[in-house]
Amino acid sequence: MSIIVEEPPAAPSTPPPPERPSLRQSNVSFSRRLRDRLATGLMGLSFIVALTPLLFVIWYVVTNGASQISGDFLTGDIPFQYRAIGPGMGPAVAGTILITGVASLMAIPLGIMAAVYLNEYGKQGLTARFLRSLVDVMTGVPSIVMGLFIYSIWVVRFEDQTAFAGSLALGCLMLPIVIRSSEEMLRLVPDELRNGSTALGSHRWRTTVRVVLPAALPGIVSGAMLAVARAAGETAPVLFTIGIVFNGRSNWKLFEPATNLSAQIYRNAPQPFPGAVDRAWGAAFTLVAMVFILTLGARFLSRRFATEVS
Amino acid sequence: MDSSPSLTHRDRGARIDSAFRWTALLAGLTVLAILVLIVVSMTSESMDAFRESGWKFVTSTKWVPNDPDGPQGPKTPEFGALTFIYGTIIVSVIALVLAVPVSIGIALFTTEVAPRPVQRAVTTVMDLMAAVPSVVFGLWGVAVLVPAIPGFYDTVADWVSPIPGLNAIFGSGGTGRSFMTAGIILGAMITPIITSLSREVFATVPRSDKDAALALGATRWEMIKGAVFPHSFGGIVGAVMLGLGRAMGETIAVALTIGSSVQIVANLFSSGDAMPARIANNFGESSGVHRSALIGLGVLLFGITILVNVAARAIVARAEVRFRGVA
């Protein structure tokens, strides 16, 4: 290797070395030390470079968005005209919660069951390995393709854009994420627990339901929360599937057209009217707050889980 | 359980066990079902456009949904996606060029340099960055970055104008909505993904390799060059390709900042369009063959991202196997 090209350790072969070589940093040649410091500095700098856009985005979202938030903003109707000034994102807030919630109700149980199959039954068998690679493939499917998929298979068939269609699209997006993270967590459960349960006479399903799943629960919940956060912020899958509403009449109705925060941001952001852009910032603040709470909650849970397991 | 369980006969529990197993397998198989349905339903919905355009769908640069009052009167619609494929590649490459060095830097910083508490803080920040919705980056891009950046572009364009080659890539002009603007935002969005993947790759370098390098008198940077990089090259290539797959499919932030013009130009500061952005911006007011062509773009995007992802995973898997063989 090229590491020791400069300054090979001077080790006289025959007579015993009079002095031990000094291992202090100051004994390393200046140019090598300089290069080391420079590289370390660049690594730290790259973190700062990556931090910049995040801080910028948070700063603008907070300064432009926080002042928009009020009871009226969170529950009032959306103005029908972009140029109107003033609050109203109620249907979008309700839509985000409803659509993401129903998507989670579909994707999380299904994902956990699939993970149970992969880790408790299939293991390294052919079926399980095949399914795992399919999950990888599905993770890579772009979110807009999920939207087009549900449009092609559901909206075209029933000629209706509904909140439920949006939930289907978001559910498809969440499913592989939930499977991956749940399987990862099930793998962390020590085999001693399984063997103990089996030795007491439990069947595998009982072991899974009573011992393995409870042990992995905090980790699974944490992974599911990250998936929910991801889905709540997605725009592309809902653009063609949920339609658009402005008033609160169809709030919380699953089989009616709906709207959500991300779709509203997308519609309002490029408008030349300050009223619309202000509403977009307000919606962005609401959405980012929701997503960050979910993400930080998930991290908190997963850290507690990690210390518990080890 | 009060009665002692039978250890030799199949009892009720065994039947439940088998039912449970099949339910779980069925849940796993929904993934297969969804993937098959994606291919079948989207291909059938886009058949009209594919039949009309044939191979021109991927080789032509003309995208004319309807042109009722063209110079020669009404024309039949034409659909060639090459412009959008070009745009997707350009924007993704810009994003990668910006994101990869930064991501690898952060990954090295967390695995090799930073003490525990700093490591945790960096990971939290990266998680939050990954959690910021695409549309929020898009809103920031269109409301803050787009108005602010044309001056910067003009300065760069002036600066490189005497240099042939560079002055074609960094030309002046434009409204701020451009390949470059979209690429910068996309770069910020894929940084956390590439960072966390690279971190996992660097974490697989054996402690003994690193200790050996340090024991030979290497500085930390020399240790990274000599022990960490050679070991993780394959994994990093895979991580970058997974980032590329994500960048190509990213829709909303690009849709808001790329400028939506159908043109192939070398100038990175001028506007263009990418596949997912074209779908998002035009689907609402499309109908008939146009809509079918947009779904066709989706099929194309699906195919390309799947190829990139599968190739990436194959590279990662091969690299892992080789490492195991060595260690």
Side-chain angles (χ1 to χ4, degrees):
Chain A
M1 265 179 265
S2 60
I3 321 166
I4 48 166
V5 170
E6 296 165 70
E7 280 214 347
S13 46
T14 32
E19 272 174 55
R20 291 225 207 110
S22 160
L23 295 176
R24 279 185 305 165
Q25 277 273 306
S26 56
N27 217 24
V28 177
S29 83
F30 176 73
S31 80
R32 287 176 61 202
R33 247 187 311 159
L34 184 72
R35 250 178 271 171
D36 184 50
R37 289 282 154 79
L38 214 65
T40 310
L42 280 177
M43 288 172 210
L45 187 71
S46 56
F47 175 56
I48 304 204
V49 168
L51 198 58
T52 317
L54 178 69
L55 289 182
F56 259 121
V57 168
I58 292 178
W59 169 257
Y60 277 96
V61 166
V62 170
T63 51
N64 291 324
S67 54
Q68 308 289 327
I69 304 300
S70 63
D72 238 14
F73 184 86
L74 294 177
T75 55
D77 288 355
I78 301 167
F80 192 69
Q81 281 177 323
Y82 288 126
R83 69 182 68 226
I85 291 176
M89 273 292 151
V93 175
T96 296
I97 297 172
L98 175 72
I99 294 166
T100 317
V102 172
S104 311
L105 286 182
M106 292 188 287
I108 294 174
L110 202 61
I112 294 177
M113 271 315 264
V116 164
Y117 176 78
L118 290 178
N119 198 59
E120 307 295 319
Y121 289 98
K123 300 189 175 169
Q124 290 308 314
L126 201 64
T127 324
R129 288 215 312 269
F130 175 64
L131 279 180
R132 250 179 231 120
S133 58
L134 283 185
V135 172
D136 283 344
V137 166
M138 197 169 166
T139 314
V141 174
S143 60
I144 191 157
V145 170
M146 289 302 181
L148 288 174
F149 162 55
I150 295 301
Y151 174 84
S152 306
I153 203 172
W154 188 271
V155 178
V156 168
R157 188 120 335 143
F158 301 102
E159 292 183 348
D160 216 6
Q161 299 184 312
T162 60
F164 185 67
S167 298
L168 282 177
L170 290 184
C172 287
L173 200 80
M174 290 172 71
L175 184 61
I177 310 175
V178 175
I179 296 178
R180 267 273 156 219
S181 65
S182 304
E183 199 202 345
E184 210 72 21
M185 292 308 147
L186 290 176
R187 202 178 297 153
L188 290 180
V189 176
D191 270 340
E192 283 81 355
L193 288 181
R194 292 188 184 88
N195 295 343
S197 170
T198 310
L200 288 173
S202 294
H203 282 286
R204 191 173 285 170
W205 71 271
R206 214 183 171 81
T207 305
T208 305
V209 173
R210 286 292 178 80
V211 176
V212 179
L213 282 176
L217 194 65
I220 291 176
V221 171
S222 146
M225 280 167 81
L226 285 179
V228 174
R230 168 95 194 277
E234 279 292 347
T235 317
V238 301
L239 274 184
F240 330 129
T241 49
I242 60 172
I244 177 76
V245 294
F246 294 94
N247 58 43
R249 244 177 297 146
S250 62
N251 276 5
W252 310 112
K253 289 183 185 143
L254 196 52
F255 293 97
E256 298 279 333
T259 188
N260 77 354
L261 287 167
S262 54
Q264 285 299 324
I265 301 170
Y266 175 66
R267 289 171 61 85
N268 285 293
Q271 298 301 326
F273 312 109
V277 176
D278 280 348
R279 279 192 293 280
W281 282 115
F285 182 83
T286 318
L287 186 59
V288 168
M290 285 172 158
V291 165
F292 275 16
I293 289 170
L294 280 169
T295 307
L296 291 174
R299 264 194 79 78
F300 176 72
L301 262 184
S302 73
R303 193 171 298 167
R304 280 193 49 184
F305 178 55
T307 48
E308 238 169 69
V309 164
S310 62
Chain B
M1 275 179 262
D2 42 5
S3 67
S4 68
S6 155
L7 296 176
T8 48
H9 298 287
R10 285 173 66 80
D11 56 3
R12 203 168 59 92
R15 280 201 302 280
I16 298 178
D17 201 32
S18 144
F20 191 75
R21 182 200 169 100
W22 283 105
T23 321
L25 177 59
L26 218 61
L29 287 175
T30 50
V31 174
L32 174 65
I34 290 172
L35 284 173
V36 170
L37 284 176
I38 288 178
V39 174
V40 171
S41 69
M42 283 178 60
T43 317
S44 75
E45 280 298 311
S46 56
M47 224 46 219
D48 284 350
F50 285 142
R51 210 174 285 131
E52 185 136 336
S53 307
W55 281 109
K56 275 168 87 183
F57 194 81
V58 283
T59 57
S60 164
T61 58
K62 282 213 180 93
W63 184 274
V64 189
N66 47 29
D67 189 9
D69 36 33
Q72 279 94 36
K75 276 199 283 190
T76 50
E78 281 184 77
F79 299 104
L82 197 60
T83 320
F84 310 128
I85 299 174
Y86 172 82
T88 299
I89 293 172
I90 293 293
V91 171
S92 310
V93 167
I94 296 174
L96 282 185
V97 167
L98 296 174
V100 168
V102 172
S103 307
I104 292 180
I106 300 171
L108 285 175
F109 182 69
T110 48
T111 49
E112 309 296 342
V113 180
R116 248 314 145 79
V118 180
Q119 247 178 57
R120 271 197 197 153
V122 173
T123 319
T124 306
V125 167
M126 285 291 124
D127 277 2
L128 287 180
M129 196 158 162
V132 174
S134 168
V135 72
V136 173
F137 271 111
L139 170 65
W140 178 73
V142 76
V144 180
L145 194 61
V146 164
I149 215 162
F152 170 71
Y153 287 165
D154 286 341
T155 316
V156 175
D158 281 349
W159 206 47
V160 301
S161 59
I163 311 166
L166 276 187
N167 57 13
I169 301 175
F170 302 112
S172 65
T175 55
R177 299 186 190 214
S178 67
F179 291 119
M180 193 51 129
T181 313
I184 291 171
I185 291 174
L186 206 49
M189 292 177 62
I190 61 172
T191 298
I193 298 157
I194 304 183
T195 303
S196 77
L197 290 169
S198 317
R199 233 180 44 208
E200 270 167 43
V201 172
F202 291 144
T204 63
V205 179
R207 183 78 249 173
S208 55
D209 284 20
K210 296 198 267 185
D211 287 346
L214 292 173
L216 285 171
T219 62
R220 185 155 52 203
W221 172 235
E222 288 162 344
M223 179 272 285
I224 290 170
K225 270 198 305 185
V228 176
F229 281 161
H231 193 281
S232 29
F233 183 75
I236 295 295
V237 172
V240 170
M241 284 184 68
L242 286 176
L244 174 68
R246 181 61 75 84
M248 292 198 306
E250 193 42 71
T251 309
I252 296 301
V254 176
L256 286 169
T257 52
I258 197 170
S260 310
S261 48
V262 190
Q263 54 175 354
I264 296 186
V265 286
N267 184 2
L268 300 181
F269 295 158
S270 72
S271 57
D273 213 346
M275 282 191 275
R278 169 65 37 171
I279 303 170
N281 282 334
N282 290 268
F283 201 82
E285 60 252 32
S286 68
S287 59
V289 191
H290 185 197
R291 181 157 282 192
S292 147
L294 289 171
I295 297 178
L297 271 184
V299 174
L300 212 58
L301 183 67
F302 177 74
I304 297 174
T305 46
I306 295 292
L307 278 182
V308 170
N309 268 294
V310 169
R313 304 225 180 245
I315 291 173
V316 173
R318 266 190 64 180
E320 266 171 18
V321 168
R322 206 184 62 226
F323 295 152
R324 262 190 228 118
V326 169

